[in-house]
Amino acid sequence: GICAMFFMKEAMEWADRNGGLSGERIKQGMYQRADWVPEGLIGVCPKATWTPEDHRGFTRVALYQADVKGQPAADADLARLFDDGTLRVRQVYEVDVPRKPQWLCW
């Protein structure tokens, strides 16, 4: 879900620079790039390419599990929790859901 929001954010930024924010311009913004990964999210978000003929979502779905040691403070620095091993995230499952024509969307 977070990746979808960043794709949308960048499409909205493109639309704003190219004629203004509107549904049609934002949709056009989604079509501007191939093998697109939102800025700063390489390794987090999969590459995406949307076209007027095919704008279905991703086919790979990954499930992650967080492991937390102890009871870190609610205001603890997230980077430090990862660095010191208090917090760890691991992928536990992945599945590829095939694209189907009836799932064309919008």
Side-chain angles (χ1 to χ4, degrees):
I2 191 71
C3 294
M5 292 301 102
F6 276 90
F7 283 116
M8 182 62 69
K9 171 193 168 287
E10 290 186 14
M12 292 173 75
E13 291 169 345
W14 180 91
D16 193 37
R17 290 188 309 271
N18 291 277
L21 290 173
S22 70
E24 187 59 34
R25 289 272 186 224
I26 294 168
K27 183 169 73 170
Q28 289 173 1
M30 297 295 288
Y31 301 154
Q32 295 305 306
R33 297 168 66 186
D35 293 329
W36 169 22
V37 177
E39 187 175 332
L41 295 173
I42 292 173
V44 175
C45 297
K47 293 178 182 179
T49 301
W50 285 279
T51 68
E53 294 76 33
D54 190 351
H55 39 252
R56 292 169 283 181
F58 306 110
T59 61
R60 185 180 67 95
V61 179
L63 178 65
Y64 293 86
Q65 178 178 353
D67 295 315
V68 182
K69 287 187 200 171
Q71 293 288 331
D75 62 347
D77 180 73
L78 192 56
R80 186 173 299 156
L81 293 175
F82 276 105
D83 288 344
D84 71 12
T86 300
L87 181 59
R88 188 174 78 116
V89 178
R90 64 187 177 91
Q91 184 176 329
V92 294
Y93 187 72
E94 181 175 294
V95 64
D96 191 48
V97 179
R99 291 182 173 220
K100 295 183 178 182
Q102 65 268 33
W103 295 347
L104 189 54
C105 299
W106 45 50

